[in-house]
């Protein structure tokens, strides 16, 4: 039983108030066919909508089976429409893009009935209205009468208590109208049917009760139903439970929806994907550029690590000085006098004062400390320490003549100079070689017994068992033989043309030294040399052996108990080479830079492993001269003299002792050189030195013996000043540390060079900052000075890279905003377009949440499609795009690439953005008043 009690309903449009229903009361039986008649605008539809829960009454009550609806909430109404009511409309209101079966299933779908049961019940309902064979047709493939029968089937599918029909025959011809009326009459057999109609004859013929409505009032009722009010219980409130549609169902619903509208979905997705394509392309290009930049930076930093030498130029102060000199101000001298220009002196001094001595022992402690700030910026290649290696490598040339890698032939001759010149220009000299060479010149601190410059230690890997760093093995290939596997194997390093400097080949005994001698002589004679192409078979190279003799082994204990240097003595070196002091080295292979090598960091021609370095360091520490010197801290084991005495008397005594120990010809040579110097000094000062031992004119006539004895006589009475001069020039023993350094003793805590590898310029700058911070804390002598070559070269590159990155980020942000706005608009249009559908869904009992869910599922799916299309199209576009990029750039270094993870993120982003873009329109859709929505066409 349905009771309408004093219901009023007003519509306000502006200031105008329309009373659509004015205090209407009507009681309907559970089982009758009620026809509501009345002129247009009399409130029939309004009454029906209120009965059906599509519209709310302003006052009064609607009591359904004794349950009052005054306290109904949205979900109660939704459930009420879904389970209790079936709607039939004049304009059928079928969803055009779904087939008949799906349309009929709708109410069941909304209440969450399983697919199988849904189909079964919908099929039954369709058979009931005589449309069993048409279930897969679309509404527009049916006639009006058939469509209305589908609508009736849809109304019946949930087996509702009440069927409401609003002018169901209004759009049909008479014959069809009769069929529909017949059908409704059957429907009314076991339920309440309320039908609005214009047609009094049809009403008379089929309805069991006719209610006349006019201007919102009931004018007449053919069969009123009055219930004894005493029998009537007071209406109570009870909720109806809810009609629930699962998310999966709404997705499935949206999916069929989208599938039915393939073209539209694809177009919408494509429109949405344009933004995604834009972002994906920018991302791909920036990934490519970024990878390129990261590689470039890593390669640059591998080739030019931050290098800190024990001795370094303070380039900055040097440049500041020269800048000062450059802008030399007008000193404002008058024309009254002659002024001295001291530029040459200040220049010389600025160069010498700009040499910095770095305390690498302290700095190494800092670097090794795991808590140091600098550690986090160190790159994959780590930190490498180099030590001052002092050794000589000798070998037998094809003629079995002994050669040395330090200068090919033994002995110092006029041609030896040319030797050095060739070695300096021929070998691949590095920046630091040149610097240390110049530094040696300037400081007078030449390294004794330094390792041959053609020998280079191959950088070890970071882990202890990695003898050679991947940086080297990745960039160099073995052309024959193999990489060294132990301390005694080395590799010959060829360049890209498979060439090795010729002087190196002479020095390690692979070519005949006699030929070398000839070339040198030709050069010394001032003639032109022409050298034929010389080549070596791999077999002759691989397996070639050399002998390494450490600096300490080159000092031999003499009968006087002093150690003597024999490194330049061919016979002694030959003896050593055949003794067990010699470390055998074997060429294990030949390597060269790979064709696509990014970093060709090796500058030497013979590469040895850090294992050999360890052998040398340990052997030196154990060696006799080192042990002897360490046992005698004050007296040099080379000269037997006290280290750098501070008083003149000891120096004079040392000088006398030194001269006494010399042979005749050595004495004569010393005398000659002292006299030449004295003569030069006389010439300069203009004084006549009568006290000199002999007139320069008399000299050539005397024999060496005579000169030596005269020199002895002279020294016996000589001025202390002369002896001090002799001490400074010839005797000076240097210091204890210098002597040990000459022996090649290395303290592992005191590297001669530290190389810090970083992976990017940024990390390099951070390392620089960390060193600055270290310097700020360190005391003055412990401060670290080094030259940041890369920093000087690359600072502008870093800025440009940053600018490009920011520009790309800006582009991406703009595309994001544009694409989400576009998606929002598309969803909004879709909502407008589907207002009617929303009304239908609501009439079937869909809740506001269901509507929002359906729209969100749909936008989400469009977002998914848009994302997939975007990523797919981008992948396709990248093929010709990269080809174009490569041909424009002339290389393949920048490769635009969309990685799977960013691609996935973009798809997710597309879904999220589409959802966000759709949330407002979907919310709007869900809030649409169902009655109004149904009235829209
Ligand atoms: P009927 O179905 O009998 O033709 P309706 O129930 O549709 O009449 O309308 C009754 C009255 O209420 C009409 O005057 C109509 O203009 C008005 N009306 C109906 N719905 C609205 C609305 N949403 N806003 C304003 N006025 C409305
Ligand atoms: Mg109407």
């Amino acid at each position: 039983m349905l009771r309408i009690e004093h219901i009023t309903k007003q519509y306000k449009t502006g200031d105008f108030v329309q009373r659509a229903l004015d205090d209407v009361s009507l009681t309907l039986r559970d089982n009758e066919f009620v026809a509501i008649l009345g002129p247009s605008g009399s409130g029939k539809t309004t009454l029906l909508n209120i009965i059906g829960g599509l519209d709310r009454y302003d006052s009064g009550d609607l009591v359904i089976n004794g349950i009052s609806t005054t306290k109904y909430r949205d979900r109660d109404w939704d459930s009420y429409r879904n389970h209790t009511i079936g709607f039939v409309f004049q304009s059928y209101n079928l969803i055009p893009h779904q087939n008949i079966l799906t349309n009929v299933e709708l109410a069941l779908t909304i209440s969450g009935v399983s697919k199988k049961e849904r189909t079964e019940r919908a099929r039954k309902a369709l058979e009931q209205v005589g449309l069993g064979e048409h279930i897969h047709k679309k509404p527009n493939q049916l006639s009006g009468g058939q469509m209305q029968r589908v609508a009736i089937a849809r109304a019946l599918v949930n087996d509702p208590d009440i069927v409401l029909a609003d002018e169901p025959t209004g759009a049909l011809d008479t014959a069809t109208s009769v069929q529909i009326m017949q059908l409704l009459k059957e429907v009314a057999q076991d339920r309440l049917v309320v039908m609005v109609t214009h047609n009094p004859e049809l009403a008379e013929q089929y309805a069991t009760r006719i209610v006349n409505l006019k201007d919102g009032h009931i004018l007449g009722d053919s069969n009123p139903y009055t219930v004894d009010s005493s029998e009537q219980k007071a209406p109570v409130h009870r909720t109806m439970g809810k009609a629930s549609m699962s998310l999966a169902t709404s997705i499935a619903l949206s999916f069929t929806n989208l599938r039915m509208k393939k073209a539209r979905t694809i177009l919408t997705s494509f429109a949405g994907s344009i933004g995604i394509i834009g972002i994906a392309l920018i991302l791909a290009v920036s990934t490519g550029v970024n990878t390129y930049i990261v590689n470039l930076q890593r390669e640059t930093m591998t080739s030019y690590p931050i290098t800190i030498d024990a001795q370094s130029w303070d380039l900055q102060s040097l440049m500041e000085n020269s800048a000062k000199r450059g802008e030399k101000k007008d000193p404002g001298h008058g024309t009254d006098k002659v002024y001295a220009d001291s530029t040459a002196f200040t220049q010389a001094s600025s160069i010498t004062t700009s040499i910095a001595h770095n305390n690498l022992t302290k700095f190494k402690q800092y670097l090794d400390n795991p808590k140091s700030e600098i550690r986090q910026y160190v790159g994959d290649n780590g930190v490498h320490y180099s030590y001052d290696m002092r050794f000589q490598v000798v070998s037998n040339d094809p003629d079995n003549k002994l050669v040395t890698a330090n200068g090919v032939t033994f002995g110092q001759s006029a041609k030896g100079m040319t030797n050095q010149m060739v070695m300096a220009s021929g070998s691949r000299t590095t920046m630091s070689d040149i610097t240390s060479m110049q530094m040696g010149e300037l400081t007078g601190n030449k390294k004794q017994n330094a390792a041959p410059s053609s020998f280079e230690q191959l950088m070890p890997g970071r882990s202890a068992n990695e003898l050679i760093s991947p940086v080297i093995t990745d960039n160099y290939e073995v052309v024959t033989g193999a990489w060294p596997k132990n301390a005694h194997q080395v590799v010959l390093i060829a360049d890209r043309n498979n060439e090795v400097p010729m002087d190196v080949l002479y020095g390690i005994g692979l070519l005949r030294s006699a030929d070398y001698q000839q070339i040198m002589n030709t050069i010394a004679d001032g003639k032109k040399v022409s050298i034929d192409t010389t080549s070596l078979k791999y077999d002759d190279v691989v397996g070639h052996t050399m002998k390494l003799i450490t600096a300490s082994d080159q000092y031999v204990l003499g009968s006087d108990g002093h150690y003597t240097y024999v490194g330049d003595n061919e016979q002694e070196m030959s003896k050593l080479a055949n003794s067990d002091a010699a470390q055998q080295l074997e060429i294990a292979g030949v390597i060269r830079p790979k064709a696509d090598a990014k970093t060709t960091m090796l500058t030497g021609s013979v590469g040895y492993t850090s294992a050999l370095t360890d052998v040398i360091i340990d052997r030196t520490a154990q060696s006799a001269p080192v042990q002897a010197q360490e046992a005698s801290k004050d007296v040099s084991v080379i000269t037997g003299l006290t280290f750098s005495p501070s008083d003149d008397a000891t120096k004079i005594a040392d000088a006398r002792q030194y001269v006494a120990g010399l042979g005749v010809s050595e004495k004569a040579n010393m005398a000659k050189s002292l006299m030449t110097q004295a003569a030069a000094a006389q010439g300069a000062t203009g004084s006549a030195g009568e006290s000199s031992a002999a007139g320069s004119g008399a000299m050539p006539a005397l024999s060496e013996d005579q000169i030596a004895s005269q020199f002895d006589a002279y020294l016996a009475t000589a001025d202390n000043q002369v002896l001090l001069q002799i001490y400074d020039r010839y005797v000076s023993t240097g210091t204890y540390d210098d002597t040990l350094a000459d022996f090649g003793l290395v303290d592992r805590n005191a590297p001669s060079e530290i190389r810090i590898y970083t992976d990017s310029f940024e990390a390099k700058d951070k390392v620089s900052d960390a060193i600055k911070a270290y310097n700020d804390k360190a005391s003055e002598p412990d401060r670290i000075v080094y030259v940041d070559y890369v920093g000087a070269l690359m600072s502008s590159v870093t800025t440009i890279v940053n600018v490009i990155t920011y520009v790309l980020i800006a582009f991406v942000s703009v595309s994001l905003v544009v694409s989400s706005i576009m998606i929002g608009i598309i969803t909004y249009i879709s909502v407008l377009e589907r207002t009617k559908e929303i009304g239908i869904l609501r009439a079937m009992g869909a809740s506001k949440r269901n509507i929002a869910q359906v729209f969100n599922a749909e936008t989400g799916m469009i977002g998914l499609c848009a994302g997939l299309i975007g990523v797919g199209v981008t992948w396709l576009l990248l093929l010709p795009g990269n080809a174009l990029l490569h041909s424009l750039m002339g290389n393949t270094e920048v490769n635009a690439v969309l990685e799977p993870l960013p691609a996935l993120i973009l798809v997710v982003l597309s879904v999220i953005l589409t959802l966000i873009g759709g949330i407002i329109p979907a919310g709007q859709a869900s809030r649409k008043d169902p009655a109004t929505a149904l009235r829209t066409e």
Side-chain angles (χ1 to χ4, degrees):
M1 189 175 60
L2 189 94
R3 282 189 344 227
I4 298 153
E5 292 179 343
H6 309 287
I7 277 184
T8 52
K9 174 74 183 173
Q10 296 183 345
Y11 291 109
K12 279 199 195 87
T13 27
D15 289 339
F16 179 70
V17 178
Q18 173 75 47
R19 275 184 172 268
L21 293 175
D22 190 5
D23 194 25
V24 172
S25 292
L26 190 67
T27 306
L28 300 172
R29 296 178 183 87
D30 283 343
N31 188 5
E32 61 180 342
F33 190 173
V34 184
I36 297 176
L37 282 173
S40 188
S42 55
K44 304 183 294 292
T45 302
T46 307
L47 180 61
L48 212 63
N49 283 350
I50 283 174
I51 295 172
L54 272 180
D55 218 346
R56 299 293 117 79
Y57 47 86
D58 295 337
S59 63
D61 196 359
L62 178 72
V63 183
I64 307 148
N65 298 329
I67 297 163
S68 163
T69 57
T70 44
K71 286 184 196 145
Y72 263 27
R73 306 222 313 264
D74 278 350
R75 46 182 265 183
D76 301 312
W77 284 117
D78 294 336
S79 182
Y80 168 65
R81 283 198 306 275
N82 188 260
H83 296 293
T84 314
I85 303 289
F87 271 105
V88 178
F89 306 95
Q90 178 182 0
S91 52
Y92 328 126
N93 281 347
L94 300 177
I95 295 171
H97 49 78
Q98 290 181 339
N99 68 18
I100 307 306
L101 192 68
T102 323
N103 263 290
V104 174
E105 279 177 9
L106 204 58
L108 299 174
T109 312
I110 289 164
S111 54
V113 174
S114 76
K115 173 80 191 163
K116 198 171 153 246
E117 193 188 335
R118 234 157 53 199
T119 315
E120 203 175 301
R121 282 166 67 176
R123 212 183 271 271
K124 232 191 207 161
L126 278 166
E127 273 161 16
Q128 209 179 327
V129 299
L131 285 173
E133 302 101 68
H134 302 277
I135 55 168
H136 294 300
K137 283 189 180 166
K138 290 278 190 63
N140 60 7
Q141 292 165 319
L142 299 177
S143 70
Q146 285 172 322
M147 281 199 271
Q148 198 57 296
R149 277 192 270 164
V150 173
I152 292 168
R154 180 177 65 183
L156 292 177
V157 77
N158 232 355
D159 194 22
D161 295 340
I162 303 161
V163 170
L164 303 174
D166 194 352
E167 302 192 36
T169 59
L172 300 174
D173 57 82
T174 320
T176 324
S177 296
V178 168
Q179 287 174 11
I180 295 297
M181 289 310 289
Q182 198 66 47
L183 193 57
L184 283 173
K185 196 180 172 183
E186 278 167 39
V187 169
Q189 300 285 313
D190 48 1
R191 51 172 64 78
L192 170 65
V193 174
V194 184
M195 179 188 73
V196 168
T197 181
H198 271 324
N199 193 327
E201 287 105 73
L202 284 178
E204 291 288 355
Q205 201 177 334
Y206 293 98
T208 56
R209 179 177 173 190
I210 294 169
V211 176
N212 267 296
L213 214 60
K214 192 164 187 274
D215 297 334
H217 296 280
I218 291 174
L219 280 189
D221 187 342
S222 67
N223 185 11
Y225 176 40
T226 35
V227 187
D228 189 353
S229 55
S230 62
E231 266 178 42
Q232 234 174 282
K233 286 181 204 144
V236 291
H237 171 76
R238 200 191 319 147
T239 54
M240 298 282 288
K242 61 174 183 175
S244 70
M245 179 164 67
S246 67
L247 183 65
T249 315
S250 39
I251 289 175
L253 198 70
S254 325
F255 186 70
T256 29
N257 232 359
L258 292 173
R259 219 182 42 193
M260 300 292 173
K261 298 178 286 182
K262 271 189 209 99
R264 208 197 72 142
T265 306
I266 289 170
L267 276 177
T268 314
S269 305
F270 192 75
S273 76
I274 287 169
I276 299 295
I277 293 173
I279 300 166
L281 280 179
I282 287 168
L283 206 67
V285 171
S286 73
T287 310
V289 171
N290 239 14
T291 315
Y292 170 68
I293 289 168
V294 166
N295 286 343
L296 184 83
Q297 293 193 2
R298 187 188 295 252
E299 283 150 17
T300 310
M301 293 319 298
T302 310
S303 303
Y304 304 98
I306 291 183
T307 306
I308 304 165
D309 287 297
Q311 275 184 42
S312 173
W313 295 105
D314 186 351
L315 204 66
Q316 200 169 349
S317 82
L318 197 64
M319 285 200 294
E320 272 164 18
N321 283 334
S322 63
K324 260 182 239 153
R325 251 178 282 131
E327 57 198 40
K328 184 177 167 184
K329 273 191 243 128
D330 177 10
H333 295 324
T335 52
D336 54 336
K337 289 176 199 154
V338 172
Y339 294 90
D341 176 3
S342 61
T343 315
F345 293 111
T346 50
Q347 257 178 31
S349 117
S350 82
I351 293 171
T352 47
T353 54
S354 63
I355 294 166
H357 296 266
N358 287 321
N359 184 346
L360 295 190
T361 312
K362 258 254 167 70
F363 191 61
K364 184 175 185 289
Q365 279 169 13
Y366 169 71
L367 278 176
D368 289 345
N369 183 354
K371 274 182 251 157
S372 293
E373 187 206 349
I374 202 164
R375 302 264 300 203
Q376 53 187 304
Y377 307 120
V378 173
D380 286 347
N381 293 323
V383 175
H384 287 270
Y385 302 109
S386 304
Y387 298 94
D388 229 349
M389 286 291 106
R390 313 254 175 138
F391 60 82
Q392 196 171 168
V393 175
V394 296
S395 47
N396 289 316
D397 77 349
D399 296 337
N400 227 7
K401 186 160 165 37
L402 197 71
V403 292
T404 168
N406 291 56
V408 188
T409 50
F410 283 92
Q412 286 300 118
S413 64
K415 276 139 202 164
M417 281 306 288
T418 333
N419 232 347
Q420 294 301 326
M421 275 158 56
V422 171
M423 292 300 268
S425 58
S427 312
R428 281 160 263 171
T429 359
T430 63
M431 182 78 92
S432 68
D433 279 344
I434 294 170
T435 322
S436 62
M437 253 153 55
Q438 286 172 338
M439 205 114 59
E441 299 294 337
L442 283 165
T443 55
N445 191 0
K446 270 192 195 163
K447 286 178 189 166
Q448 284 248 308
N449 323 322
S453 61
S454 55
F455 276 63
E456 179 175 358
Q457 184 200 283
L458 302 172
M459 190 164 115
R462 286 195 90 168
S463 67
N465 53 8
E466 229 177 354
L467 209 52
I468 298 166
S469 166
V471 183
I472 293 176
T473 49
D474 287 350
N475 287 295
Y476 287 83
E477 60 185 348
V478 175
V479 287
T480 181
W483 290 103
K485 287 181 194 65
N486 56 47
H488 298 284
Q489 292 186 331
V490 297
V491 280
L492 193 63
I493 305 161
D495 63 11
R496 286 178 198 268
N497 302 321
N498 249 32
E499 286 179 357
V500 176
M502 200 168 192
D503 57 287
V504 174
L505 297 176
Y506 283 121
I508 59 175
L510 282 170
L511 295 176
R512 292 176 65 236
S513 62
D515 294 343
Y516 172 79
Q517 205 63 54
Q518 210 176 343
I519 296 169
M520 285 300 132
N521 288 341
T522 317
I523 295 174
D525 293 347
K527 290 184 194 136
K528 234 185 158 147
V529 283
S530 66
I531 299 166
D532 299 331
T533 307
T534 314
S535 62
L536 285 156
K537 285 198 215 92
Y538 285 153
D539 278 354
D540 294 338
V541 175
V542 176
H544 177 76
T545 58
M546 295 162 269
K547 296 288 165 67
L548 180 146
I549 295 150
T550 62
S552 57
D553 284 322
Q554 293 169 45
Y555 288 85
V556 175
L557 188 61
S559 51
D560 57 354
H562 297 164
Y563 283 91
T564 315
Y565 177 63
V566 298
D568 49 8
N569 184 316
E570 187 172 347
Q571 277 171 339
E572 292 287 341
M573 286 304 282
S574 175
K575 237 192 273 170
L576 278 172
N578 292 318
S579 73
D580 53 1
Q583 308 290 316
Q584 170 143 318
L585 299 182
E586 184 190 7
I587 296 180
V590 179
I591 61 167
R592 58 179 258 168
K594 286 184 180 168
D596 59 347
K598 306 284 190 217
T599 5
T600 54
M601 35 145 42
L602 299 179
T603 51
S605 298
V606 180
Y608 59 90
T609 60
S610 54
L612 182 64
T613 307
D614 290 338
V615 167
I616 296 171
I617 291 176
D618 292 342
R619 184 174 172 85
T620 303
Q622 306 295 318
S623 68
V626 168
Q627 302 270 317
Q629 189 61 75
E630 282 178 338
S632 123
K633 294 253 186 304
D634 298 327
V635 179
S636 162
V637 296
I638 298 175
T639 58
L641 303 176
T642 317
F643 283 121
S644 295
S646 50
D647 57 323
D648 287 353
T650 324
K651 283 184 185 175
I652 291 164
D654 281 350
R656 285 192 192 285
Q657 194 187 336
Y658 176 78
V659 175
L662 292 178
V664 170
S665 67
E666 285 168 319
K667 239 182 242 175
N669 277 338
M670 187 193 280
K672 276 187 209 164
S673 110
L674 279 173
M675 274 184 295
T676 323
Q677 199 185 18
Q682 274 168 18
T685 55
S687 73
E690 287 305 313
S691 61
S692 47
S696 50
M699 287 292 294
L702 298 170
S703 71
E704 279 193 345
D705 276 340
Q706 285 169 309
I707 297 175
S709 60
Q710 278 202 17
F711 188 54
D712 279 338
Y714 162 69
L715 281 187
T717 59
D719 218 31
N720 282 348
Q721 211 53 45
V722 175
L723 283 159
L724 280 177
Q725 224 175 16
I726 291 174
Y727 180 87
D728 283 341
R729 269 196 75 187
Y730 297 98
V731 191
S732 178
T733 46
T735 64
Y736 171 75
D737 290 333
D738 288 344
T739 308
L740 284 177
D742 285 346
F743 289 154
L745 183 69
V746 159
D747 177 358
R748 280 198 170 84
N749 293 320
S752 65
E753 185 184 271
I754 297 177
R755 292 195 308 277
I756 304 169
Y757 289 88
T758 59
D759 288 341
S760 69
F761 295 158
E762 203 192 331
K764 187 220 65 174
D765 289 341
K766 287 279 198 289
V767 167
S768 299
D769 292 345
I771 295 176
K772 234 174 254 150
Y774 168 87
N775 281 345
D776 287 344
K777 274 186 226 143
S779 64
E780 180 83 43
D782 291 340
R783 279 183 199 154
I784 295 299
V785 176
Y786 69 100
V787 184
D788 183 359
Y789 294 108
V790 175
L793 293 170
M794 290 294 183
S795 59
S796 56
V797 174
T798 321
T799 320
I800 291 169
V801 165
N802 285 342
V803 167
I804 292 174
T805 313
Y806 291 137
V807 168
L808 287 177
I809 288 172
F811 267 120
V812 170
S813 320
V814 169
S815 328
L816 276 177
V817 171
V818 168
S819 89
S820 39
I821 290 175
M822 194 152 71
I823 287 161
I825 291 170
I826 290 166
T827 316
Y828 184 66
I829 291 169
S830 157
V831 168
L832 287 183
E833 183 201 63
R834 290 168 63 190
T835 306
K836 188 72 172 259
E837 194 181 322
I838 295 167
I840 299 167
L841 285 168
R842 295 281 277 147
M844 298 299 126
S847 66
K848 288 180 180 178
R849 242 189 79 224
N850 291 155
I851 300 293
Q853 212 171 48
V854 169
F855 272 81
N856 284 336
E858 201 169 312
T859 44
M861 258 184 289
I862 288 178
L864 185 69
C865 287
L868 292 175
I869 291 175
V871 166
V873 168
T874 305
W875 269 326
L876 288 180
L877 282 178
L878 282 182
L879 300 175
N882 271 326
L884 186 74
L885 199 67
H886 293 163
S887 78
L888 281 178
M889 290 187 56
N891 62 41
T892 57
E893 303 214 334
V894 176
N895 223 336
V897 55
L898 183 62
E899 310 264 13
L901 183 67
L904 183 75
I905 290 173
L906 274 182
V907 174
V908 173
L909 190 76
S910 169
V911 173
I912 291 172
L913 280 181
T914 325
L915 281 177
I916 291 173
I919 271 177
I920 296 170
Q924 220 168 18
S926 72
R927 281 191 302 275
K928 266 189 195 299
D929 176 43
T932 321
L934 279 169
R935 279 177 204 265
T936 49
E937 275 314 314

